[in-house]
Amino acid sequence: MTRYPLLADDIPAEAQKAPPQRIVIVTAEILGPVRNGGIATALTGLAEALAEARHQVTVLFVDLAGTMQQEDRQDRWADLYDRRGIRLAFLNPDAYRDRSPLALSFQIAGWLAGERADIVHFHDWIGLGHEAIRAMRMGQGFVDTLLVVGAHGPSAWAAEGNGLPDDPEQERIERYAIEQADVLIAPSQYLLGWMEARGWRLPQRHYVQQNLLPRSRDAKTPESQHGLPVTELVFFGRLEPRKGVLLFCDALDRLAANGILARHDGLKITFLGKSTPIEGTEGRDYVAARAAGWLVETGFVSDLDSADALAFLAVPGRLAIMPSLIENSPCTVLECLLDGIPFLAADVGGVAELIAPEDRDRLLFAPTADALAAALTDRLESGAATGRPAIAQEAIRRVWTNWHIQPGRPRQSLLAQLLLRLRKLLKRK
């Protein structure tokens, strides 16, 4: 497997005296306005860390769902983020008249033009950075701004995992932003390999750096444990094929047929996550129909934010199961590691990269129903285990904050520089 370079952690001493950077994070997900999600968790953690490092941090929240249209809601969340040293900004409501990704990207580029940022972070999903990056490459602006794309999982990757057809136009928008960005940063080796295997051209400056979770996750990681009693199996994730809900149901069918479930009196099964359509049926209804044959108490919990979901999983006796078919670098796995929550996860994508090598065999299983059924049988009989992260959060924090001290300026092509100078001259005339 190709090994991609990591972000540098060797900042010269003189660079420590560099002035704070003006940093903007453009995102459709941020914790608070959005209850949970990998992008929201990772970018909230990044914003907090950069603010603590005394950078001038602005988060532009792109409100796709329209939840912030009431002014008091904007003010409330902006005030809460302001207390953390972060400016939370919003687009003008008129910017959402056309909600297509390309139109929103155009509105975002216009908003950014007035910010004079040193560094701008975009996530890859829906290509919010497309127009700003296109303008930079055409010499129409952002010459002194470093435009960074974070590889959290493009739409083509998610469609592949759900067995759905790709949207060619959406892929074009996202792929352009990824390929033409000044810098591409992925939290896993896996996702950069996925892109290159499909012919995507990575920018010259592409790196791997694991996600940084919000500061509340910095508690000392507990030592790994074994033999923890299991009284409840908890599917943790959205009820969608990509998250492995069908695989989980298939594994439980096997346990029911073999009499394993019946042997464990009082065992419960819970689905913790939002419901989405599965095979033309609402996910919750689909699962309920499958559960009728298990003859075990089955429940659904779908209204918890990230913190409450983790508190739910931390109750003794509960075993979190994350049987995703594809994953990049799931924050859910990292959160379970940091909170000492027993779990099982499918060994896909970048999941193994998150877990200490000596703990992987106890926590991972091959992404098949038979393998999951075997792992569940073993945990019900012998007890569950917790594990430790491969990299401590403080080490990840140090690398992220050090890199932002001296990230390097974008390298504009000579043609782009000449075009920009020509436009400035024409404006003066």
Side-chain angles (χ1 to χ4, degrees):
M1 181 181 76
T2 302
R3 301 299 295 180
Y4 299 95
L6 303 177
L7 277 181
D9 189 25
D10 53 350
I11 302 302
E14 60 271 17
Q16 302 289 342
K17 301 177 182 179
Q21 301 282 331
R22 293 166 296 186
I23 301 169
V24 176
I25 298 174
V26 179
T27 177
E29 295 185 7
I30 198 75
L31 291 183
V34 174
R35 278 188 169 185
N36 48 43
I39 292 175
T41 301
L43 293 184
T44 299
L46 178 61
E48 290 179 354
L50 295 177
E52 287 178 9
R54 302 190 182 282
H55 294 294
Q56 299 174 29
V57 181
T58 295
V59 173
L60 175 62
F61 174 56
V62 182
D63 187 14
L64 297 179
T67 58
M68 295 288 109
Q69 293 306 305
Q70 298 175 4
E71 186 174 343
D72 61 330
R73 294 197 56 158
Q74 290 191 9
D75 291 343
R76 179 161 58 90
W77 286 115
D79 180 62
L80 287 171
Y81 268 88
D82 183 64
R83 296 176 196 174
R84 301 182 225 176
I86 300 166
R87 171 188 167 217
L88 185 61
F90 306 88
L91 293 173
N92 187 293
D94 290 343
Y96 297 98
R97 288 178 178 173
D98 184 346
R99 290 178 175 269
S100 68
L102 204 56
L104 280 174
S105 179
F106 181 81
Q107 296 289 341
I108 290 165
W111 185 91
L112 286 170
E115 288 296 300
R116 298 178 57 83
D118 296 307
I119 306 169
V120 179
H121 287 272
F122 304 96
H123 50 70
D124 51 356
W125 174 60
I126 67 176
L128 296 178
H130 181 279
E131 285 302 298
I133 291 169
R134 185 196 63 79
M136 177 268 291
R137 289 299 176 195
M138 295 294 292
Q140 296 172 340
F142 304 106
V143 173
D144 297 320
T145 301
L146 195 72
L147 301 182
V148 182
V149 170
H152 297 270
S155 296
W157 172 80
E160 180 180 295
N162 281 320
L164 299 174
D166 186 23
D167 181 337
E169 177 62 10
Q170 185 63 49
E171 178 176 341
R172 183 193 69 79
I173 293 169
E174 295 177 14
R175 181 172 172 174
Y176 178 88
I178 288 168
E179 293 183 339
Q180 298 299 320
D182 289 312
V183 181
L184 175 66
I185 303 176
S188 72
Q189 296 275 341
Y190 152 76
L191 192 57
L192 294 183
W194 181 92
M195 292 176 180
E196 287 203 311
R198 283 148 187 80
W200 296 22
R201 298 185 304 276
L202 305 186
Q204 181 179 5
R205 298 175 65 185
H206 58 273
Y207 307 102
V208 172
Q209 176 59 29
Q210 286 189 8
N211 289 325
L212 181 63
L213 301 190
R215 176 61 87 171
S216 60
R217 310 252 49 87
D218 273 0
K220 184 178 179 181
T221 305
E223 291 297 319
S224 56
Q225 302 180 67
H226 318 284
L228 300 172
V230 176
T231 57
E232 187 172 353
L233 305 177
V234 183
F235 175 89
F236 187 25
R238 289 187 302 276
L239 274 60
E240 67 176 12
R242 179 171 73 89
K243 292 297 182 179
V245 66
L246 303 182
L247 187 151
F248 184 61
C249 289
D250 290 344
L252 290 177
D253 284 346
R254 286 160 171 74
L255 295 188
N258 293 334
I260 302 297
L261 296 181
R263 286 212 304 264
H264 294 274
D265 189 41
L267 180 68
K268 297 180 180 179
I269 298 171
T270 299
F271 290 81
L272 176 59
K274 297 176 182 177
S275 178
T276 66
I278 300 174
E279 298 182 358
T281 303
E282 183 58 33
R284 181 167 175 163
D285 295 335
Y286 174 91
V287 170
R290 294 284 300 268
W294 302 335
L295 302 179
V296 173
E297 180 182 342
T298 303
F300 299 86
V301 180
S302 59
D303 59 350
L304 301 183
D305 62 17
S306 180
D308 288 340
L310 291 168
F312 179 90
L313 291 171
V315 173
R318 287 175 173 153
L319 172 64
I321 297 111
M322 294 166 277
S324 299
L325 303 183
I326 64 167
E327 280 289 4
N328 174 20
S329 183
C331 291
T332 51
V333 168
L334 189 52
E335 288 166 333
C336 286
L337 289 166
L338 295 175
D339 282 9
I341 294 170
F343 72 90
L344 285 170
D347 188 4
V348 297
V351 174
E353 297 177 40
L354 294 171
I355 303 171
E358 59 271 24
D359 292 334
R360 290 171 185 168
D361 286 346
R362 292 187 295 270
L363 301 175
L364 299 175
F365 62 90
T368 68
D370 286 339
L372 177 53
L376 290 174
T377 300
D378 178 72
R379 299 311 181 273
L380 289 170
E381 298 291 341
S382 304
T386 65
R388 292 157 293 180
I391 307 173
Q393 281 284 287
E394 278 306 316
I396 296 171
R397 179 183 303 277
R398 184 185 68 247
V399 175
W400 272 115
T401 53
N402 279 357
W403 184 77
H404 282 81
I405 291 172
Q406 194 178 35
R409 301 266 55 86
R411 298 179 180 177
Q412 295 291 332
S413 68
L414 179 60
L415 177 60
Q417 293 180 46
L418 291 174
L419 286 171
L420 185 62
R421 290 172 183 171
L422 179 60
R423 288 189 178 91
K424 287 181 178 179
L425 287 172
L426 292 174
K427 284 182 178 179
R428 290 173 185 169
K429 294 180 178 180

